[in-house]
């Protein structure tokens, strides 16, 4: 992954896509968000959603998985090229998460991440904070998820 | 057990307890393996070398567990229509294996939807602590609830 100094504001990364099956939607929701419109196709069809749809936390968790897969590919590419790779730290949180449209069973969602801002962290020498706009889109290109996330990124020459 | 809540049953200033929940090492590893396979969430030794200083739950896992605490606390006994999103979520401290989480929902606002008068939006601030009383997570968002008498759950 890029060090903080090499991160370019405005650059987008395509993270790939994910098929939300009914089985996976029900499994996630049964553990973490067992509201009937996420766990019971019958009840969901009678709800205002009109059908079984994924928990918003599920659509966000899949973003995280695709992001970690992207990070692993980048780290591997850096290793093969003999370049150092930046570490990522934890995230302090996110803002403005929106679920403008439900993700129904059988939908494939495509994810994208765009660098929105970056700054060095005075409180933690060698690290910076990067803000990204993260989005998910359905097959018609309609937004189903968006949020502004923050994550710690290593600075070049931090000795890590 | 608390009675079933419709939109009208939420009062501004009201504090609603969330269900408590213990997060186990096995749960941390299983969630991370599926959704957030980074060393700080998967491997004790590797996690010690990260800024988290030891194995900790993925923040998305913490958020998902908190969602379950909300469901069991009051949401499953309500006319919830889900949520349009989250205004802000802060991960203040990493959740460690064995942490027992508890928390509360504080009702900040309640208004009937103009575009869909059969429902209302309730604004919440949520606070979650560990067993030592340390604040772990804060979140503000709105949840949609059907109004009393509406049958279109």
């Amino acid at each position: 992954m890029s060090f903080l100094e090499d991160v370019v504001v405005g650059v987008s990364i395509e993270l790939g896509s994910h098929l939300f099956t009914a089985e996976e939607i029900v499994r996630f929701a049964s553990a973490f968000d067992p509201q009937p419109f996420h766990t019971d196709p019958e009840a969901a069809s009678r709800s205002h959603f009109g059908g079984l749809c994924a928990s918003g936390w599920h659509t966000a968790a899949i973003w995280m998985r695709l992001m970690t897969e992207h990070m692993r590919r980048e780290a591997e590419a850096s290793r093969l090229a003999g370049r150092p790779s930046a570490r990522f730290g934890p995230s302090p949180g996110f803002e403005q998460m929106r679920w403008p449209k439900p993700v129904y069973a059988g939908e494939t969602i495509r994810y994208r991440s765009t660098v929105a801002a970056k700054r060095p962290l005075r409180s933690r020498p060698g690290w910076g904070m990067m803000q990204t706009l993260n989005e998910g889109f359905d097959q018609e290109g309609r937004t189903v998820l968006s949020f502004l996330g923050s994550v710690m990124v290593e600075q070049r020459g931090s000795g890590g | 057990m608390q009675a079933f809540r419709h939109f009208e049953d939420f009062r501004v200033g009201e504090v609603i307890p969330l269900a408590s929940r213990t997060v186990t090492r096995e749960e941390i590893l299983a969630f991370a393996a599926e959704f957030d396979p980074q060393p700080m969430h998967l491997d004790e030794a590797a996690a010690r070398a990260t800024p988290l200083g030891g194995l900790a739950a993925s923040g998305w896992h913490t958020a998902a567990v908190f969602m379950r605490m909300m469901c069991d606390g009051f949401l499953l006994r309500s006319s919830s229509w889900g949520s349009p999103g989250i205004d802000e979520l802060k991960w203040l401290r990493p959740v460690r294996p064995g942490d027992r989480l508890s928390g509360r929902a504080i009702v900040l606002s309640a208004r009937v939807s103009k575009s869909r008068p059969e429902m209302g939006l309730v604004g919440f601030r949520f606070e979650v602590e560990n067993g030592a009383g340390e604040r772990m997570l804060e979140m503000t968002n709105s949840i949609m609830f059907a109004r009393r008498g509406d049958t279109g759950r």
Side-chain angles (χ1 to χ4, degrees):
Chain A
M1 293 298 290
S2 300
F3 289 91
L4 185 74
E5 292 88 337
D6 305 323
V7 167
V8 179
V9 174
V11 166
S12 286
I13 308 161
E14 295 294 332
L15 298 176
S17 59
H18 181 80
L19 167 65
F20 285 80
T21 65
E23 183 274 333
E24 190 185 281
I25 287 173
V26 171
R27 186 164 58 86
F28 184 97
S30 298
F32 300 115
D33 191 356
Q35 301 187 78
F37 37 78
H38 298 319
T39 57
D40 180 352
E42 282 283 304
S45 67
R46 292 193 306 269
S47 76
H48 71 292
F49 287 117
L52 187 73
C53 56
S55 168
W57 296 111
H58 187 183
T59 60
I62 293 295
W63 167 83
M64 187 72 238
R65 179 161 94 202
L66 294 178
M67 178 55 89
T68 61
E69 287 170 4
H70 169 77
M71 287 160 61
R72 190 180 307 147
R73 285 192 300 270
E74 287 281 299
E76 180 64 9
S78 292
R79 193 185 64 78
L80 289 174
R83 292 191 313 262
S85 190
R87 291 179 301 166
F88 274 48
S91 164
F94 62 80
E95 298 168 39
Q96 297 172 44
M97 183 172 280
R98 298 287 175 256
W99 298 303
K101 188 193 160 295
V103 174
Y104 292 102
E107 289 203 283
T108 296
I109 304 305
R110 177 173 59 83
Y111 290 86
R112 182 172 76 193
S113 183
T114 306
V115 180
K118 64 168 186 174
R119 62 183 169 87
L121 274 181
R122 243 167 300 170
S123 59
R124 241 187 222 274
W127 290 84
M129 192 66 74
M130 175 170 76
Q131 193 177 45
T132 53
L133 169 64
N134 304 294
E135 298 166 290
F137 305 98
D138 69 9
Q139 299 92 322
E140 277 77 51
R142 295 173 297 198
T143 305
V144 297
L145 168 77
S146 69
F147 67 98
L148 281 171
S150 294
V151 65
M152 285 172 59
V153 183
E154 200 175 14
Q155 290 184 272
R156 190 179 289 286
S158 64
Chain B
M1 176 164 292
Q2 180 81 44
F4 192 91
R5 288 170 181 269
H6 290 88
F7 168 74
E8 290 83 354
D9 300 314
F10 293 93
R11 300 271 171 262
V12 172
E14 184 182 5
V15 178
I16 304 170
L18 308 180
S20 297
R21 205 160 171 100
T22 300
V23 182
T24 67
R25 180 179 300 270
E26 292 68 32
E27 288 167 351
I28 287 174
L29 298 178
F31 187 99
E34 183 166 6
F35 298 109
D36 195 354
Q38 301 188 73
M40 54 196 169
H41 307 314
L42 278 176
D43 183 281
E44 184 65 64
R48 257 179 252 127
T50 72
L52 288 182
L55 188 72
S58 166
W60 300 102
H61 187 196
T62 303
V65 168
F66 153 63
M67 182 70 217
R68 182 62 192 253
M69 292 164 61
M70 196 194 308
C71 282
D72 293 341
F74 69 98
L75 209 57
L76 296 182
R77 297 183 308 281
S78 78
S79 62
S80 164
W81 273 15
S83 167
I86 311 292
D87 299 324
E88 185 180 38
L89 182 146
K90 290 181 185 168
W91 289 298
L92 298 169
R93 281 187 180 78
V95 170
R96 308 291 185 181
D99 270 355
R100 178 134 185 103
L101 303 182
S102 60
R104 67 205 62 81
I106 303 161
V107 179
L108 300 183
S109 63
R111 64 173 179 84
V112 173
S113 168
K114 285 194 187 79
S115 57
R116 304 187 75 168
E118 69 275 27
M119 66 127 178
L121 279 156
V122 179
F124 292 97
R125 171 186 167 81
F126 296 95
E127 301 170 344
V128 174
E129 284 104 33
N130 64 5
E134 296 171 314
R135 184 65 57 81
M136 311 299 276
L137 176 148
E138 292 174 357
M139 186 178 95
T140 51
N141 86 320
S142 294
I143 299 177
M144 303 177 286
F145 294 92
R147 295 173 73 185
R148 199 184 299 285
D150 180 75
T151 53
R153 290 169 300 121

